[in-house]
Amino acid sequence: MSHADVGRQLCGPSTGGVLVERDSYAPGVVVTSTGFDRRRTVSRLAFAIAVLDLLAVTFLIIFYAVGGPFGTANDVANGLVGLLSMVLAWLWISPRTTVWSRVGIAAASVGGIVMMTGSILIIFDITGWYLAGLVSTTGSALIGIWLLVANRLQRYSARLPPRLIMLGMTSAIFMILGWLAVPGVIARIDDPQLAPWFVNAGLLNWMGTYLLYPIWCLWLSRRYGG
């Protein structure tokens, strides 16, 4: 078995006959029988992220159509997407492997916190919707770094199909465009008409965050839940 394959085996006396799993992120690192529960948790987390992501878009559309509390519902959903993405990163990538896996986990952790901060800023009227959106965009760009790293680490794994890995990397690239919003956050720009064109261009990362990312999560959920 090559180091990139995922293997499961029933061990002998050294492990007391415990079913173990070798994680493709960490060749040679053995995960105990809770690996089955871990995969199930990953599946459920990915599904929850996809649902929340799609709900965020739905709430935003309804808010622009009829107003009401749907704007706040959108902000809450966005924050939860960041939080659950951070948890998914910790579960899906072992922190004991390569430098790149640690970079991915760190990016997702900071990104999740920043994305939640963006939601808090607008929910409590600390800033306007535009600056809060730039903050959330920066957070999703950091999550995009994790998504790119995670899928690249999986490109030689037999567990995930190449098309799923390619979709994850494509989603990540669009999400990383959110880095263009960072100068707007630093300058505390809270009006889209005052923002440079490239700051507004950074908001194009919504194509990754709210379209491709939830599709990838749904597909990942199905693969890990099967």
Side-chain angles (χ1 to χ4, degrees):
M1 181 176 63
S2 69
H3 73 273
D5 292 330
V6 176
R8 303 187 190 97
Q9 62 185 17
L10 186 62
C11 295
S14 61
T15 60
V18 176
L19 188 64
V20 300
E21 178 186 6
R22 295 187 183 279
D23 197 314
S24 59
Y25 278 122
V29 174
V30 175
V31 182
T32 65
S33 58
T34 57
F36 290 109
D37 294 330
R38 177 169 166 260
R39 290 199 307 278
R40 189 179 298 114
T41 302
V42 166
S43 175
R44 291 173 178 174
L45 269 174
F47 182 78
I49 292 169
V51 170
L52 285 168
D53 226 338
L54 295 174
L55 280 176
V57 175
T58 302
F59 289 146
L60 187 62
I61 293 173
I62 297 175
F63 174 72
Y64 279 119
V66 301
F70 294 101
T72 300
N74 164 264
D75 300 325
V76 171
N78 280 331
L80 290 175
V81 166
L83 173 64
L84 294 185
S85 294
M86 177 174 59
V87 176
L88 180 62
W90 277 93
L91 282 177
W92 203 41
I93 302 181
S94 169
R96 297 168 295 178
T97 57
T98 66
V99 172
W100 279 112
S101 65
R102 294 188 182 98
V103 168
I105 290 173
S109 300
V110 177
I113 294 171
V114 172
M115 202 166 176
M116 287 187 290
T117 300
S119 293
I120 292 171
L121 289 175
I122 186 61
I123 289 172
F124 293 98
D125 291 324
I126 299 172
T127 69
W129 67 269
Y130 185 75
L131 179 55
L134 293 181
V135 173
S136 292
T137 296
T138 302
S140 66
L142 286 162
I143 292 172
I145 292 175
W146 157 73
L147 189 61
L148 182 63
V149 169
N151 280 276
R152 281 188 59 83
L153 289 174
Q154 277 281 15
R155 66 190 185 280
Y156 298 122
S157 170
R159 171 169 296 187
L160 301 182
R163 287 186 298 175
L164 176 56
I165 294 173
M166 183 59 64
L167 175 61
M169 293 175 66
T170 303
S171 305
I173 290 170
F174 274 100
M175 293 171 73
I176 292 172
L177 287 175
W179 275 107
L180 294 172
V182 172
V185 175
I186 295 174
R188 299 178 62 83
I189 298 174
D190 211 352
D191 186 339
Q193 296 183 348
L194 300 178
W197 68 269
F198 56 85
V199 171
N200 286 320
L203 297 177
L204 289 175
N205 93 319
W206 72 266
M207 295 180 63
T209 306
Y210 300 108
L211 178 61
L212 299 178
Y213 184 42
I215 295 174
W216 178 83
C217 285
L218 284 173
W219 195 348
L220 182 73
S221 174
R222 183 176 179 181
R223 294 292 300 186
Y224 271 72

